[in-house]
């Protein structure tokens, strides 16, 4: 993180934070209901009152949320599988595009390896749970310390901790995160931060006191700026005295007094400030309405049915309790005391002469009607949470046509959501990962610009569109083949085979290069390997075609990005 950046006034950031808190306030009751019914006991939303006042009786929504989150993980970012490909862009000449294929595959493999060795899958699943329930999720993407198994470190940020706003690009590029740090952790992280006399005394006594810290990360003028400050600033003079007491106790009274004098007015200065080359927080949404910054979730859409189903199950259980234990009535004959009657085997209940004693009272409720209503509600909840589309097929004897139609319907339903997740989640993930590996010099300084280097998605959900395109081309080839040799003359079979291979994600090493590309490619020496170096990065040197290509890609990437690595 670079430190030489113009620092934005803390007072301005605090006003912006207050504005975002006010804008988020109207969403919090809806989130609280969604989490209480679909993801109960979620930290930050489930208060003590909500845990006891509205118990959960029906488990359809929590089960559907788990299934949808697991399906998103398998369909968008499948574990231990390639869910993206780096390919040569349209601006590269054919000979360079053919030589770029294996090199870009090696870069993609290196990036995928770091994702697989990190905690990406664990934290990503938690983000999907927030996405399905609250409509918005945030993932912190950091660079790990050197020497680890992976260069990446992830953390799913709880929705109650973040306040978001859109940037000029329409993405969530302004992120305020509030955390409470223990006093010792606060001093270790911000050693120059002033303390009040109460905080200094609490630290001396070892009290378990926490300080609320707000970290603002926002994109401004092409740079991602970072500023940390207190949520509630202490009085400047009190902070000065408290810091002087701490420093005088640690380094002598003269030094402490000097530090206190130097720290005059430091209460409104940021705790830390700097800049990132790439945004470390990736915030994404399920869907949104125009003019809104926060996303809307499928649980919000199904919330009326979820509430109703929960109430119906509660009433059914009460009715079942009545059906098991029964309701009774008795004449007030002065002999029977209802408070002393216990219904148990072998019990003798006295009654007056001539009275009828205990008589059962019929229950007015009908279980069959409530079961019909409950089945309809549960079916609508599963349909709203896409369990019937993304989950396992109920019938194990589905034909191939039924499977294809089911996947096509799933692609239609998730088309808009998948497009948004590609833009707000997958593309920033890959850009951030490539930037970290570039700084570590594990890959050449290449960037995805869509012209020289393009990004394609290879997740199961993305491959459905590829399969439809291949089916279209195969149908056309079958139709042309019926026209005889004259019709087949219009088909370039080698090009069609290479196009199908690229669409299916076949490694370029298994496909012969196109004739014009092969004619312009220099012969690679025997045993040449584009992967090298102790970290498993891509070797950028050497006299072979791969080394010359990497230099060309580095120049093209730097020129196309207009920035520094």
């Amino acid at each position: 993180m670079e430190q030489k950046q113009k620092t934005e006034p803390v007072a301005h950031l605090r006003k912006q934070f207050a504005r975002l808190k006010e804008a988020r306030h109207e969403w919090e009751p809806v989130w609280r209901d969604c989490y209480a019914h679909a993801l109960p006991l979620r930290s930050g939303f489930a208060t003590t009152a909500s845990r006891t006042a509205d118990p959960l009786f029906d488990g359809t929504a929590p089960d559907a949320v788990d299934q949808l989150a697991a399906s998103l993980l398998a369909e968008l970012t499948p574990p231990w599988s390639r869910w993206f490909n780096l390919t040569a862009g349209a601006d590269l000449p054919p000979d360079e595009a053919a030589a770029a294929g294996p090199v870009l595959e090696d870069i993609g493999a290196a990036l995928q390896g770091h994702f697989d060795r990190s905690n990406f899958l664990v934290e990503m699943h938690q983000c999907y749970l927030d996405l399905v329930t609250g409509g918005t999720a945030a993932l912190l993407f950091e660079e790990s310390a050197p020497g680890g198994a992976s260069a990446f470190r992830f953390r799913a940020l709880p929705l109650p901790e973040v306040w978001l706003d859109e940037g000029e690009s329409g993405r969530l590029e302004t992120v305020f995160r509030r955390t409470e740090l223990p006093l010792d952790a606060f001093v270790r992280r911000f050693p120059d931060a002033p303390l009040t006399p109460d905080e200094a005394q609490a630290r001396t006594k070892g009290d378990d006191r926490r300080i609320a810290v707000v970290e603002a990360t926002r994109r401004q003028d092409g740079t991602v700026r970072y500023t940390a400050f207190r949520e509630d600033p202490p009085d400047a003079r009190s902070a000065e005295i408290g810091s002087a007491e701490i420093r005088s106790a640690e380094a002598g009274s003269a030094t402490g007094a000097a530090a206190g004098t130097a720290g005059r007015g430091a209460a409104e200065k940021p705790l830390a400030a700097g800049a990132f080359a790439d945004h470390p927080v990736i915030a994404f949404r399920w869907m949104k309405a125009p003019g809104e910054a926060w996303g809307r979730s499928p649980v919000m859409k199904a919330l009326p049915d979820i509430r109703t189903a929960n109430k119906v199950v509660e009433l059914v259980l009460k009715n079942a309790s009545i059906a098991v234990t029964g309701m009774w009535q008795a004449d007030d004959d002065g002999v029977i005391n209802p408070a002393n009657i216990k219904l148990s085997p072998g019990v003798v209940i006295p009654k007056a002469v001539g009275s009828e004693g205990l008589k059962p009272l019929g229950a007015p409720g009908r279980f069959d009607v409530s079961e019909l209503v409950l089945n309809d509600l549960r079916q609508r909840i599963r349909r709203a949470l896409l369990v019937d589309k993304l989950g396992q097929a109920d019938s194990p004897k589905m034909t191939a046509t039924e499977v294809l139609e089911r996947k096509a319907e799933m692609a239609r339903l998730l088309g808009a959501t998948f497009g948004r997740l590609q833009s707000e989640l997958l593309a920033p993930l890959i850009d951030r990962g490539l930037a970290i590996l570039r700084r570590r010099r594990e890959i050449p300084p290449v960037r995805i610009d869509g012209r020289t280097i393009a990004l394609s998605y290879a997740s199961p959900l993305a491959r459905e569109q590829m399969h439809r395109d291949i089916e279209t081309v195969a149908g056309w080839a079958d139709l042309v083949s019926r026209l005889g040799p004259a019709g087949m003359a219009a088909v370039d079979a080698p090009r069609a085979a290479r196009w199908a291979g690229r669409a299916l994600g076949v490694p370029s090493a298994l496909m012969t290069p196109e004739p014009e590309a092969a004619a312009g490619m220099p012969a690679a020496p025997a045993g040449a390997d584009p992967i090298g170096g102790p970290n498993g990065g891509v070797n950028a040197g050497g006299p072979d075609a791969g080394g010359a290509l990497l230099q060309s890609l580095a120049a093209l990437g730097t020129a196309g990005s207009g920035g520094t690595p």
Side-chain angles (χ1 to χ4, degrees), residues 6-194:
K6 183 179 179 181
T7 304
E8 190 172 359
V10 174
H12 176 71
L13 292 176
R14 190 170 285 112
K15 290 181 181 179
Q16 186 178 7
F17 181 51
R19 178 179 61 83
L20 294 181
K21 290 175 67 176
E22 182 179 359
R24 202 191 82 165
H25 182 71
E26 61 183 4
W27 289 89
E28 293 176 356
V30 180
W31 290 338
R32 191 172 293 110
D33 285 345
C34 289
Y35 278 94
H37 290 87
L39 201 63
L41 304 183
R42 180 68 164 89
S43 176
F45 284 121
T47 60
T48 304
S50 64
R51 294 178 183 179
T52 57
D54 191 15
L56 190 63
F57 292 97
D58 184 62
T60 305
D63 178 68
V65 166
D66 288 342
Q67 292 192 42
L68 181 53
S71 298
L72 288 176
L73 185 68
E75 295 289 341
L76 292 178
T77 54
W80 304 101
S81 299
R82 286 286 293 273
W83 44 272
F84 64 91
N85 287 316
L86 302 180
T87 59
D91 289 356
L92 283 182
D95 55 342
E96 293 188 10
V103 178
L104 293 177
E105 288 176 5
D106 294 332
I107 296 175
L111 180 60
Q112 183 69 50
H114 282 282
F115 277 118
D116 293 338
R117 294 191 300 270
S118 68
N119 62 335
F120 172 72
L121 294 176
V122 177
E123 300 298 322
M124 197 68 246
H125 181 257
Q126 299 177 28
C127 284
Y128 285 139
L129 289 174
D130 274 341
L131 179 69
V132 173
T133 306
T136 308
L139 180 68
L140 179 61
F141 190 171
E142 298 178 298
E143 181 178 356
S144 63
S150 173
F152 305 153
R153 183 174 66 243
F154 299 90
R155 181 179 179 185
L157 300 181
L159 199 56
E161 288 186 3
V162 294
W163 286 259
L164 308 172
D165 197 8
E166 289 185 343
E168 296 180 355
S169 64
R171 296 179 179 177
L172 296 173
E173 296 179 335
T174 299
V175 181
F176 282 76
R177 181 190 176 197
R178 179 189 180 277
T179 55
E180 293 185 359
L181 298 178
L183 190 55
D184 288 339
F186 175 83
V187 173
R188 286 194 303 269
R189 185 172 178 182
F190 309 108
D192 297 330

Side-chain angles (χ1 to χ4, degrees), residues 379-415:
Q379 185 177 2
R380 290 207 299 263
I381 293 172
R382 293 190 181 98
R383 187 183 303 115
L385 296 179
L386 304 176
V387 174
D388 55 339
K389 305 302 179 185
L390 290 176
Q392 286 187 339
D394 295 333
S395 175
K397 297 182 180 180
M398 293 180 64
T399 64
T401 303
E402 290 174 341
V403 172
L404 291 177
E405 289 298 327
R406 188 169 183 262
K407 291 183 177 180
E409 185 179 2
M410 176 188 66
R412 287 194 298 269
L413 292 175
L414 285 181

Side-chain angles (χ1 to χ4, degrees), residues 222-299:
T223 304
V224 180
R225 298 186 179 181
Y226 168 84
T227 307
F229 57 93
R230 286 173 175 259
E231 182 182 20
D232 299 318
D235 179 70
R237 180 59 184 168
S238 299
E240 167 193 336
I241 296 173
S243 299
E245 291 177 355
I246 284 288
R247 288 161 182 156
S248 63
E250 295 178 351
S253 58
T255 306
T261 304
R264 185 179 300 276
E268 282 298 310
K269 290 184 178 180
L271 302 175
F276 292 94
D278 310 277
H279 209 300
V281 179
I282 301 174
F284 50 99
R285 297 160 289 191
W286 179 269
M287 61 166 289
K288 65 179 289 293
E292 295 178 350
W294 296 95
R296 295 175 178 265
S297 69
V299 171

Side-chain angles (χ1 to χ4, degrees), residues 242-515:
S243 299
E245 291 177 355
I246 284 288
R247 288 161 182 156
S248 63
E250 295 178 351
S253 58
T255 306
T261 304
R264 185 179 300 276
E268 282 298 310
K269 290 184 178 180
L271 302 175
F276 292 94
D278 310 277
H279 209 300
V281 179
I282 301 174
F284 50 99
R285 297 160 289 191
W286 179 269
M287 61 166 289
K288 65 179 289 293
E292 295 178 350
W294 296 95
R296 295 175 178 265
S297 69
V299 171
M300 292 181 185
K301 181 174 64 174
L303 190 58
D305 290 333
I306 294 173
R307 287 174 170 171
T308 306
N310 192 62
K311 192 65 178 179
V312 169
V313 173
E314 180 184 1
L315 296 177
V316 167
L317 292 177
K318 290 181 178 179
N319 200 351
S321 175
I322 294 174
V324 172
T325 59
M327 293 186 299
W328 307 85
Q329 61 181 354
D331 296 332
D332 188 6
D333 54 7
V335 176
I336 294 180
N337 184 1
N340 296 331
I341 295 178
K342 293 183 180 181
L343 298 178
S344 59
V347 66
V348 177
I349 301 175
K351 73 180 187 67
V353 177
S355 67
E356 297 183 0
L358 293 178
K359 294 190 300 182
L361 183 64
R366 293 182 57 189
F367 280 98
D368 52 349
V369 175
S370 61
E371 191 66 23
L372 290 175
V373 173
L374 186 58
N375 288 337
D376 183 61
L377 290 171
R378 287 173 172 172
Q379 185 177 2
R380 290 207 299 263
I381 293 172
R382 293 190 181 98
R383 187 183 303 115
L385 296 179
L386 304 176
V387 174
D388 55 339
K389 305 302 179 185
L390 290 176
Q392 286 187 339
D394 295 333
S395 175
K397 297 182 180 180
M398 293 180 64
T399 64
T401 303
E402 290 174 341
V403 172
L404 291 177
E405 289 298 327
R406 188 169 183 262
K407 291 183 177 180
E409 185 179 2
M410 176 188 66
R412 287 194 298 269
L413 292 175
L414 285 181
T417 300
F418 182 52
R420 176 174 294 278
L421 292 178
Q422 279 185 340
S423 173
E424 296 187 353
L425 170 63
L426 302 183
L429 267 176
I430 296 172
D431 289 338
R432 172 74 170 161
L434 289 176
I436 293 176
L437 295 185
R438 284 198 307 266
R439 284 195 295 270
R440 292 194 171 209
R441 300 186 181 276
E442 296 189 22
I443 62 173
V446 296
R447 288 178 174 80
I448 300 174
D449 56 7
R451 300 184 302 274
T452 58
I453 300 177
L455 171 66
S456 63
Y457 300 100
S459 63
L461 198 57
R463 284 199 296 266
E464 296 302 324
Q465 178 63 43
M466 301 176 188
H467 290 165
R468 288 197 297 272
D469 295 340
I470 293 175
E471 289 175 3
T472 301
V473 174
W476 168 75
D478 181 66
L479 178 63
V480 169
S481 66
R482 300 178 184 179
L483 301 178
M488 289 301 298
V491 179
D492 190 341
R495 285 182 180 270
R498 294 187 191 96
W499 174 85
R502 288 191 296 269
L504 292 174
V506 176
S508 59
L510 302 181
M511 295 184 291
T512 57
E514 299 190 16

